[in-house]
Amino acid sequence: MIVIRKQMIDKVTYRREYKDRYIPLIEYYRKKYHLKIEENCSLPSSFVASENEKNIAKVFIRKRPMFENEFSNRQFDSFMNARFIHYSDLNFLILNRSIFPFHWEVFNEETTTHDLSESSVKSILYNHFGTVFCFGQTGSGKTFTMSGMINLFSEDLFTQLPSSKRVTMTYVELIGESVYDLLNEHKEVEVRDGGEGEFVLCENVWVDIKDSTELQRNYHLAGSLRETHATRVNSNSSRSHYICRLSILDQDNSEFARLTFCDLAGSERNIDSFYHNSERLKESAAINSSLMALKDVMRALVLKKQGTNVRIPYRASKLTRILKDGFETLEKPTQTILISTISPQACDAEHTMNTLKHVCAIGNHSYHAENGKLIFREVISEPKLAHYKIEDQLKPLTKMDRSETLEWLSKVRGGILKSDLKKFPSNMDGKMLTKQAEKRLQQLLESEILGSQLRQEIIDYTNKCNQQKVEHIETIKRINK
């Protein structure tokens, strides 16, 4: 009988311990769903974006390869393909599968930085204002990716640059809420309000760039001077946001175009910072705070694009102030490119899922956790006998997004609330719905009877989900005997 319970064992240790049981089933589903994708039948039609859809940023996913030292540490690749990721449950030998509805390009470990650059960064040459930033956890390959793309971009830039224009660049790093000039003795730089709602870097040095070689040399020199420290995940982890801003000037020194490259510091989980000293902990808190501010800005931009009247919180962090012109300017067209780097390791599965959920939010999509879980037998030989899937699992209201909540409401008591769906707030998801008192529901629906009935439905459905969870655990116990 195989029943592993939470007894002083963390997820990383657990997955490493049972690596040999997880890998065969992951391989089976990797092949199965890769075939489905080739047949164009793997994703619901609602996941496919129209050609005319415009998002706040062009998004690209890059998965780094597994390293030799990771294999020797009993790690394994849990990332199946462009849209699926597996992660193991801590209570029992269970494999969960989540689907991420990307209609963007996904670059795996077999692709090169040149492939990524051709699809992403090269396009910003045709825009007056462009911003490229790498986002992902510590050790997922952000700095490697950005450095390679700078080399390729610089060659394309000077090949197409008219002789009447010249290029200048500035290199700064953001540590906490302080900005420093990397090529001017690390002097502090001010971020001030401009005259037209923009934010301006002040007292920083601009360097004239004559060719691609000089651009690359300065970028890598400045990058070598940024703040780095060894962490649990990465022996040379960047502890600051590195921002390289390039300005293309006309003969009269007026700005023709501005391009910004931002190598963001890596986000960290609590377990990653467990052995940090007080200084490293403060760094991690500041990094995570600024990244959260950036995520809040992007979520607000998505809502604004949907027509919601919302304030964009650019002032929440100096990072978001500096990057503001990558999302909006008054006169000139902008293009923002987000390159999300992810780690394939099983121990990083939750962090990878977190990254991909934020990426989905940028594209106004919701990720999909499939009903049912894959449950292992002790011996995995024949795939059809190797797992058991529990069908028709009810999804708790607290786990439902807005669209799923509205669908659930439309089915309450045979659809009595279909004509009242517009009365619910635009930001109400399932979790918020469960917190509404009976009186509040009566006010929303403008009916004491409907409010009372809905509150009772919420209670009944929640009880049913809880009961099903108990039955689910009992089923797992029987299967694993």
Side-chain angles (χ1 to χ4, degrees):
M1 178 178 180
I2 304 175
V3 179
I4 309 298
R5 296 185 181 278
K6 279 187 212 173
Q7 293 180 349
M8 301 301 292
I9 183 170
D10 63 86
K11 293 182 180 181
V12 175
T13 304
Y14 178 83
R15 290 166 184 165
R16 187 167 57 238
E17 181 88 12
Y18 294 95
K19 167 185 175 181
D20 296 334
R21 295 179 181 177
Y22 283 115
I23 289 178
L25 200 58
I26 288 177
E27 288 298 326
Y28 169 70
Y29 278 95
R30 182 179 283 126
K31 293 175 182 177
K32 175 183 176 181
Y33 280 90
H34 180 71
L35 178 64
K36 281 192 172 186
I37 286 176
E38 289 180 346
E39 294 172 350
N40 295 321
C41 62
S42 62
L43 294 177
S45 58
S46 60
F47 284 177
V48 180
S50 66
E51 294 182 1
N52 295 324
E53 182 179 4
K54 293 183 179 180
N55 301 299
I56 62 171
K58 291 180 67 175
V59 181
F60 300 86
I61 313 297
R62 190 180 200 188
K63 171 196 171 189
R64 72 160 174 81
M66 293 282 293
F67 301 135
E68 287 299 323
N69 65 307
E70 293 168 347
F71 285 119
S72 62
N73 197 31
R74 290 189 61 81
Q75 291 300 327
F76 56 93
D77 188 343
S78 64
F79 196 84
M80 263 178 41
N81 51 45
R83 301 178 176 90
F84 299 89
I85 185 170
H86 282 128
Y87 62 103
S88 53
D89 189 273
L90 193 57
N91 291 318
F92 302 94
L93 285 173
I94 296 175
L95 200 71
N96 296 295
R97 181 168 65 251
S98 293
I99 303 174
F100 294 89
F102 301 136
H103 54 269
W104 307 295
E105 291 186 73
V106 181
F107 295 82
N108 61 24
E109 64 271 32
E110 297 174 358
T111 57
T112 65
T113 303
H114 181 270
D115 297 329
L116 177 59
S117 178
E118 286 291 308
S119 298
S120 58
V121 176
K122 201 169 184 178
S123 64
I124 69 171
L125 284 170
Y126 308 105
N127 284 269
H128 290 289
F129 280 75
T131 298
V132 182
F133 58 95
C134 279
F135 166 76
Q137 74 179 90
T138 296
S140 60
K142 297 182 301 299
T143 299
F144 174 84
T145 297
M146 185 63 83
S147 296
M149 289 195 301
I150 283 287
N151 292 342
L152 295 166
F153 171 79
S154 63
E155 295 171 1
D156 291 331
L157 173 64
F158 282 94
T159 299
Q160 301 181 36
L161 187 71
S163 58
S164 60
K165 302 188 186 303
R166 65 185 183 92
V167 176
T168 65
M169 298 187 74
T170 189
Y171 310 83
V172 300
E173 71 171 338
L174 178 62
I175 304 176
E177 284 297 290
S178 299
V179 185
Y180 301 96
D181 192 330
L182 287 167
L183 292 185
N184 188 25
E185 302 178 347
H186 215 252
K187 291 182 178 179
E188 191 162 358
V189 174
E190 294 292 330
V191 181
R192 298 174 182 168
D193 290 3
E196 298 179 337
E198 78 278 19
F199 297 100
V200 182
L201 291 172
C202 299
E203 301 173 15
N204 57 308
V205 171
W206 288 85
V207 180
D208 285 331
I209 305 295
K210 297 178 181 178
D211 54 36
S212 61
T213 302
E214 190 173 3
L215 191 156
Q216 294 171 27
R217 183 173 63 248
N218 279 284
Y219 180 85
H220 297 302
L221 172 62
S224 68
L225 299 174
R226 68 189 291 201
E227 190 85 359
T228 60
H229 291 287
T231 66
R232 177 179 177 273
V233 179
N234 189 350
S235 61
N236 191 34
S237 176
S238 302
R239 311 304 294 165
S240 67
H241 304 302
Y242 177 24
I243 300 169
C244 167
R245 179 157 286 175
L246 179 152
S247 183
I248 301 176
L249 305 176
D250 287 318
Q251 289 180 328
D252 61 356
N253 284 334
S254 61
E255 190 173 51
F256 171 76
R258 185 191 309 158
L259 307 176
T260 302
F261 296 87
C262 183
D263 180 9
L264 295 170
S267 56
E268 292 185 335
R269 302 165 298 177
N270 289 335
I271 189 172
D272 297 332
S273 57
F274 186 78
Y275 296 104
H276 285 359
N277 58 27
S278 59
E279 186 178 355
R280 295 289 85 76
L281 286 172
K282 288 179 182 178
E283 284 178 353
S284 296
I287 289 169
N288 288 338
S289 176
S290 59
L291 291 174
M292 185 56 66
L294 179 59
K295 293 170 188 175
D296 288 342
V297 164
M298 301 185 88
R299 279 193 286 264
L301 287 167
V302 169
L303 291 173
K304 184 177 180 181
K305 203 167 189 66
Q306 295 171 346
T308 305
N309 185 16
V310 60
R311 182 183 67 86
I312 312 299
Y314 288 115
R315 293 183 178 274
S317 166
K318 282 191 178 177
L319 175 64
T320 51
R321 293 183 219 176
I322 295 172
L323 295 180
K324 179 184 178 182
D325 61 15
F327 297 109
E328 57 180 65
T329 56
L330 294 178
E331 299 175 353
K332 298 181 179 180
T334 66
Q335 182 171 0
T336 301
I337 293 173
L338 167 61
I339 298 171
S340 180
T341 56
I342 58 175
S343 165
Q345 292 188 92
C347 65
D348 293 326
E350 281 79 15
H351 208 146
T352 296
M353 288 181 63
N354 233 7
T355 300
L356 298 180
K357 287 176 187 178
H358 288 301
V359 168
C360 282
I362 294 169
N364 193 24
H365 289 284
S366 298
Y367 87 100
H368 171 63
E370 285 198 327
N371 288 334
K373 298 181 179 181
L374 308 174
I375 304 163
F376 287 75
R377 295 284 183 96
E378 183 171 4
V379 179
I380 299 180
S381 54
E382 172 60 33
K384 291 183 179 179
L385 301 176
H387 69 280
Y388 177 84
K389 186 171 180 179
I390 298 179
E391 304 289 350
D392 301 324
Q393 287 285 294
L394 293 175
K395 188 170 187 177
L397 274 170
T398 54
K399 302 292 184 182
M400 292 185 186
D401 59 24
R402 174 164 173 76
S403 61
E404 292 170 325
T405 303
L406 290 177
E407 184 179 355
W408 182 84
L409 286 169
S410 68
K411 296 177 181 178
V412 167
R413 301 205 176 190
I416 60 172
L417 298 178
K418 276 187 177 180
S419 59
D420 297 299
L421 295 180
K422 292 183 179 180
K423 294 179 181 179
F424 292 92
S426 60
N427 63 338
M428 181 174 283
D429 55 12
K431 187 175 183 179
M432 185 182 296
L433 180 63
T434 60
K435 294 179 179 180
Q436 305 303 309
E438 183 176 328
K439 286 287 185 183
R440 176 56 179 156
L441 293 174
Q442 290 173 346
Q443 291 173 353
L444 286 173
L445 295 171
E446 300 173 352
S447 167
E448 291 187 5
I449 295 176
L450 288 179
S452 300
Q453 289 178 341
L454 176 55
R455 186 60 202 166
Q456 188 59 48
E457 284 292 325
I458 292 172
I459 294 171
D460 292 345
Y461 183 81
T462 301
N463 290 338
K464 190 174 181 180
C465 288
N466 292 336
Q467 179 60 33
Q468 190 178 61
K469 185 177 180 180
V470 172
E471 293 172 357
H472 174 63
I473 292 174
E474 293 300 319
T475 303
I476 292 173
K477 290 180 181 178
R478 290 197 302 272
I479 291 170
N480 282 315
K481 285 183 179 180

